[in-house]
Amino acid sequence: MLHEVVSREREATLVVSKRSAVRLSEIGPALGRAFGEVYGSLEARGVGTAGPPFVIYPAAPGGDEPRDIEICAPGTRAAEPPPGRTPHGRPPRPL
């Protein structure tokens, strides 16, 4: 089954996001779990939603090898990251 790929530019938006490597055959359940996590993170920090969610696909999907995707939920304001995470979502590294 082929789907049309839509590419568009967006204004800068504050988002909570989750990066994941997902097989195309498993994308439906993976997106469901990830959207639950990113919206749960917004809610846990008292941040409202600011528009529909979206997914970034850095590379064109093909075959059924795991592909990196970034699941995004726009928020109304910046919030502190969860304990043990940087504002970019990565664990802090020792210098």
Side-chain angles (χ1 to χ4, degrees):
M1 175 194 287
L2 296 176
H3 296 279
E4 180 183 358
V5 174
V6 178
S7 177
R8 65 183 107 173
E9 290 189 30
R10 294 180 54 108
E11 292 183 27
T13 305
L14 293 170
V15 299
V16 170
S17 69
K18 176 182 176 73
R19 289 185 180 193
S20 187
V22 178
R23 293 180 185 281
L24 195 55
S25 63
E26 301 168 351
I27 200 158
L31 288 176
R33 286 188 302 273
F35 282 132
E37 290 178 38
V38 294
Y39 279 104
S41 183
L42 285 175
E43 185 177 341
R45 285 164 186 71
V47 177
T49 60
F54 58 95
V55 180
I56 298 171
Y57 300 88
D64 200 35
E65 294 301 311
R67 301 284 178 180
D68 288 331
I69 63 173
E70 187 168 3
I71 299 90
C72 304
T76 55
R77 63 177 176 80
E80 289 297 314
R85 294 289 182 175
T86 68
H88 303 289
R90 298 177 193 98
R93 290 186 292 187
L95 298 176

